[in-house]
Amino acid sequence: FERQYGKSRQEVFDSPIPIQTQVDALCAFNEECEGVVLRNIEQSEESIWVAAYAFTRTRIAAALVRAHGRGVRVEVKMDANQAEYPGAQKLIEWLRSEGIPVTLIHVAGEYSAMHNKFMVFDMGRVVAGSYNFTTVAQVSNWENLIWADSPDMAEQYKQAWDAIVSDEVAEPKGEPAEKKEEKKPAAE
Protein backbone atom coordinates (compact mmCIF):
# COMPACT_ATOMS: atom_id res chain seq x y z
CA PHE A 1 0.00 0.00 0.00
CA GLU A 2 2.82 2.37 0.73
CA ARG A 3 4.18 1.72 -2.77
CA GLN A 4 0.90 2.88 -4.31
CA TYR A 5 -0.39 5.49 -1.88
CA GLY A 6 2.63 6.67 0.10
CA LYS A 7 0.75 5.70 3.25
CA SER A 8 0.18 2.50 5.19
CA ARG A 9 -2.87 0.32 4.53
CA GLN A 10 -4.38 1.40 7.84
CA GLU A 11 -3.99 5.09 6.92
CA VAL A 12 -5.49 4.62 3.46
CA PHE A 13 -8.51 2.58 4.49
CA ASP A 14 -8.87 3.79 8.09
CA SER A 15 -9.34 0.18 9.11
CA PRO A 16 -8.08 -1.79 12.08
CA ILE A 17 -5.13 -3.99 11.24
CA PRO A 18 -5.22 -6.80 11.98
CA ILE A 19 -8.97 -7.27 12.09
CA GLN A 20 -10.47 -9.49 14.72
CA THR A 21 -13.58 -11.35 13.65
CA GLN A 22 -15.37 -14.64 14.05
CA VAL A 23 -14.82 -16.93 11.07
CA ASP A 24 -15.73 -20.37 9.90
CA ALA A 25 -12.48 -21.60 8.40
CA LEU A 26 -11.24 -24.64 6.55
CA CYS A 27 -7.65 -25.58 5.82
CA ALA A 28 -6.82 -27.42 2.62
CA PHE A 29 -3.52 -28.94 1.59
CA ASN A 30 -2.11 -30.05 -1.74
CA GLU A 31 -4.72 -31.67 -4.00
CA GLU A 32 -7.58 -30.54 -1.72
CA CYS A 33 -7.03 -26.89 -2.68
CA GLU A 34 -8.66 -26.96 -6.10
CA GLY A 35 -11.88 -28.45 -4.74
CA VAL A 36 -12.22 -25.62 -2.22
CA VAL A 37 -11.72 -23.03 -4.97
CA LEU A 38 -14.17 -24.74 -7.34
CA ARG A 39 -16.90 -25.10 -4.68
CA ASN A 40 -16.66 -21.42 -3.80
CA ILE A 41 -16.81 -20.37 -7.46
CA GLU A 42 -19.84 -22.61 -8.03
CA GLN A 43 -21.63 -21.17 -4.96
CA SER A 44 -21.04 -17.55 -5.98
CA GLU A 45 -24.07 -15.51 -6.97
CA GLU A 46 -22.83 -11.91 -7.24
CA SER A 47 -19.08 -11.40 -7.55
CA ILE A 48 -15.66 -13.05 -7.67
CA TRP A 49 -12.48 -10.96 -7.34
CA VAL A 50 -9.33 -12.92 -8.25
CA ALA A 51 -5.73 -11.95 -7.41
CA ALA A 52 -3.40 -14.47 -9.05
CA TYR A 53 0.36 -14.57 -9.18
CA ALA A 54 0.19 -17.41 -11.70
CA PHE A 55 -2.90 -18.77 -13.43
CA THR A 56 -2.89 -21.71 -15.86
CA ARG A 57 -5.43 -24.11 -14.34
CA THR A 58 -8.19 -24.56 -16.92
CA ARG A 59 -10.63 -26.19 -14.46
CA ILE A 60 -10.62 -23.04 -12.37
CA ALA A 61 -10.85 -20.82 -15.47
CA ALA A 62 -13.79 -22.89 -16.78
CA ALA A 63 -15.60 -22.50 -13.45
CA LEU A 64 -15.06 -18.72 -13.62
CA VAL A 65 -16.43 -18.67 -17.18
CA ARG A 66 -19.52 -20.63 -16.04
CA ALA A 67 -20.02 -18.23 -13.13
CA HIS A 68 -19.72 -15.26 -15.47
CA GLY A 69 -22.32 -16.94 -17.71
CA ARG A 70 -24.70 -17.11 -14.72
CA GLY A 71 -24.36 -13.34 -14.30
CA VAL A 72 -21.67 -13.32 -11.60
CA ARG A 73 -19.28 -10.38 -11.91
CA VAL A 74 -15.80 -11.88 -12.34
CA GLU A 75 -12.57 -9.86 -12.52
CA VAL A 76 -8.97 -11.08 -12.47
CA LYS A 77 -5.69 -9.33 -11.65
CA MET A 78 -2.52 -11.27 -12.47
CA ASP A 79 1.22 -10.73 -12.35
CA ALA A 80 2.36 -9.54 -15.79
CA ASN A 81 5.59 -11.56 -15.82
CA GLN A 82 3.75 -14.81 -15.08
CA ALA A 83 1.27 -13.94 -17.83
CA GLU A 84 4.04 -14.29 -20.42
CA TYR A 85 4.07 -18.10 -20.19
CA PRO A 86 2.26 -19.81 -23.09
CA GLY A 87 -0.26 -21.61 -20.85
CA ALA A 88 -1.13 -18.39 -19.08
CA GLN A 89 -1.41 -16.49 -22.37
CA LYS A 90 -3.96 -18.99 -23.70
CA LEU A 91 -5.97 -18.91 -20.50
CA ILE A 92 -6.00 -15.09 -20.36
CA GLU A 93 -7.04 -14.90 -24.00
CA TRP A 94 -9.89 -17.35 -23.30
CA LEU A 95 -11.12 -15.48 -20.20
CA ARG A 96 -11.08 -12.18 -22.08
CA SER A 97 -12.90 -13.70 -25.07
CA GLU A 98 -15.63 -14.78 -22.63
CA GLY A 99 -15.96 -11.20 -21.35
CA ILE A 100 -13.97 -11.55 -18.12
CA PRO A 101 -11.64 -8.60 -17.51
CA VAL A 102 -8.04 -9.64 -16.85
CA THR A 103 -5.69 -6.89 -15.71
CA LEU A 104 -1.96 -7.62 -15.87
CA ILE A 105 -0.05 -6.03 -13.01
CA HIS A 106 3.45 -4.70 -13.74
CA VAL A 107 5.55 -4.24 -10.61
CA ALA A 108 8.70 -2.12 -10.69
CA GLY A 109 11.90 -3.88 -9.69
CA GLU A 110 13.79 -6.80 -11.10
CA TYR A 111 12.66 -9.29 -8.43
CA SER A 112 9.27 -7.76 -7.60
CA ALA A 113 5.93 -9.39 -8.34
CA MET A 114 2.21 -9.18 -7.73
CA HIS A 115 2.49 -12.28 -5.56
CA ASN A 116 -1.03 -12.45 -4.10
CA LYS A 117 -3.10 -15.61 -4.41
CA PHE A 118 -6.64 -15.05 -3.21
CA MET A 119 -10.27 -14.88 -4.27
CA VAL A 120 -13.15 -12.96 -2.72
CA PHE A 121 -16.63 -14.43 -3.27
CA ASP A 122 -19.88 -12.46 -2.89
CA MET A 123 -18.18 -10.14 -0.39
CA GLY A 124 -18.66 -12.88 2.20
CA ARG A 125 -16.04 -15.58 1.64
CA VAL A 126 -12.30 -15.62 0.98
CA VAL A 127 -9.80 -18.25 -0.09
CA ALA A 128 -6.10 -17.41 0.29
CA GLY A 129 -2.82 -19.21 0.68
CA SER A 130 0.29 -20.38 -1.13
CA TYR A 131 -1.81 -22.15 -3.77
CA ASN A 132 -1.24 -20.74 -7.26
CA PHE A 133 -4.08 -21.41 -9.67
CA THR A 134 -1.87 -23.69 -11.78
CA THR A 135 -1.58 -27.35 -12.69
CA VAL A 136 1.90 -27.55 -11.14
CA ALA A 137 0.47 -26.30 -7.84
CA GLN A 138 -2.36 -28.82 -8.08
CA VAL A 139 -0.36 -31.94 -8.91
CA SER A 140 3.26 -31.34 -7.86
CA ASN A 141 3.69 -28.76 -5.09
CA TRP A 142 3.19 -28.73 -1.36
CA GLU A 143 0.46 -26.10 -1.06
CA ASN A 144 -1.99 -24.65 1.45
CA LEU A 145 -5.21 -22.71 1.31
CA ILE A 146 -7.47 -21.24 3.96
CA TRP A 147 -11.14 -20.66 3.32
CA ALA A 148 -12.94 -18.17 5.55
CA ASP A 149 -16.64 -17.38 5.67
CA SER A 150 -16.41 -13.80 6.91
CA PRO A 151 -17.82 -10.58 5.44
CA ASP A 152 -15.28 -8.63 7.55
CA MET A 153 -12.35 -10.50 6.03
CA ALA A 154 -13.91 -10.34 2.56
CA GLU A 155 -14.08 -6.55 2.86
CA GLN A 156 -10.41 -6.36 3.87
CA TYR A 157 -9.36 -8.59 0.97
CA LYS A 158 -11.50 -6.61 -1.47
CA GLN A 159 -9.80 -3.39 -0.31
CA ALA A 160 -6.46 -5.10 -0.92
CA TRP A 161 -7.67 -6.22 -4.39
CA ASP A 162 -8.73 -2.66 -5.22
CA ALA A 163 -5.28 -1.38 -4.25
CA ILE A 164 -3.45 -3.75 -6.62
CA VAL A 165 -2.42 -1.60 -9.56
CA SER A 166 0.59 -1.47 -11.84
CA ASP A 167 3.61 0.52 -10.68
CA GLU A 168 4.56 1.34 -14.24
CA VAL A 169 3.17 1.21 -17.71
CA ALA A 170 5.11 -1.38 -19.65
CA GLU A 171 5.94 -0.77 -23.27
CA PRO A 172 4.89 -3.44 -25.72
CA LYS A 173 7.67 -5.87 -26.53
CA GLY A 174 10.06 -4.46 -29.07
CA GLU A 175 11.59 -1.05 -29.35
CA PRO A 176 10.71 1.44 -26.56
CA ALA A 177 8.57 4.36 -27.69
CA GLU A 178 11.22 7.03 -27.06
CA LYS A 179 13.68 5.28 -29.38
CA LYS A 180 11.30 5.06 -32.29
CA GLU A 181 11.87 7.77 -34.85
CA GLU A 182 9.19 9.23 -37.02
CA LYS A 183 9.57 8.23 -40.63
CA LYS A 184 10.25 11.24 -42.76
CA PRO A 185 9.14 11.44 -46.35
CA ALA A 186 11.90 10.64 -48.80
CA ALA A 187 13.66 13.70 -50.24
CA GLU A 188 12.67 14.47 -53.81
Side-chain angles (χ1 to χ4, degrees):
F1 290 91
E2 288 185 28
R3 169 196 334 249
Q4 181 63 29
Y5 299 105
K7 297 178 183 177
S8 72
R9 184 173 183 270
Q10 187 171 5
E11 291 171 313
V12 171
F13 295 113
D14 191 30
S15 62
I17 303 297
I19 64 163
Q20 184 172 352
T21 184
Q22 290 291 105
V23 298
D24 289 325
L26 168 74
C27 298
F29 298 95
N30 307 323
E31 66 276 353
E32 300 165 350
C33 295
E34 184 175 66
V36 171
V37 171
L38 294 174
R39 277 192 300 281
N40 276 281
I41 292 171
E42 290 163 6
Q43 293 171 359
S44 293
E45 297 175 354
E46 296 173 11
S47 60
I48 303 171
W49 309 97
V50 179
Y53 171 64
F55 194 173
T56 61
R57 191 70 172 159
T58 55
R59 287 182 185 170
I60 294 172
L64 291 173
V65 167
R66 287 191 302 274
H68 179 71
R70 301 193 301 272
V72 175
R73 180 177 181 177
V74 178
E75 292 192 35
V76 177
K77 292 184 180 180
M78 181 179 171
D79 183 77
N81 290 327
Q82 291 297 310
E84 292 179 9
Y85 291 98
Q89 288 176 354
K90 289 177 186 175
L91 187 134
I92 291 164
E93 191 176 301
W94 178 39
L95 291 173
R96 287 177 172 166
S97 74
E98 294 293 330
I100 296 174
V102 178
T103 303
L104 302 182
I105 304 300
H106 301 269
V107 181
E110 188 176 353
Y111 299 106
S112 299
M114 196 298 289
H115 203 248
N116 284 293
K117 302 142 192 153
F118 66 83
M119 293 187 189
V120 180
F121 306 94
D122 294 336
M123 294 306 295
R125 300 180 317 280
V126 175
V127 296
S130 70
Y131 182 70
N132 285 305
F133 310 121
T134 66
T135 299
V136 171
Q138 181 61 27
V139 301
S140 300
N141 293 354
W142 289 96
E143 299 284 357
N144 71 82
L145 192 67
I146 294 176
W147 166 77
D149 186 353
S150 168
D152 291 337
M153 287 186 74
E155 177 62 31
Q156 296 296 312
Y157 271 91
K158 178 57 169 67
Q159 287 178 0
W161 190 91
D162 289 341
I164 299 170
V165 295
S166 289
D167 288 338
E168 58 190 22
V169 177
E171 288 293 327
K173 291 197 189 305
E175 199 174 330
E178 64 272 3
K179 290 186 180 178
K180 292 180 181 174
E181 294 181 24
E182 287 186 36
K183 290 190 177 187
K184 297 178 183 177
E188 294 182 26

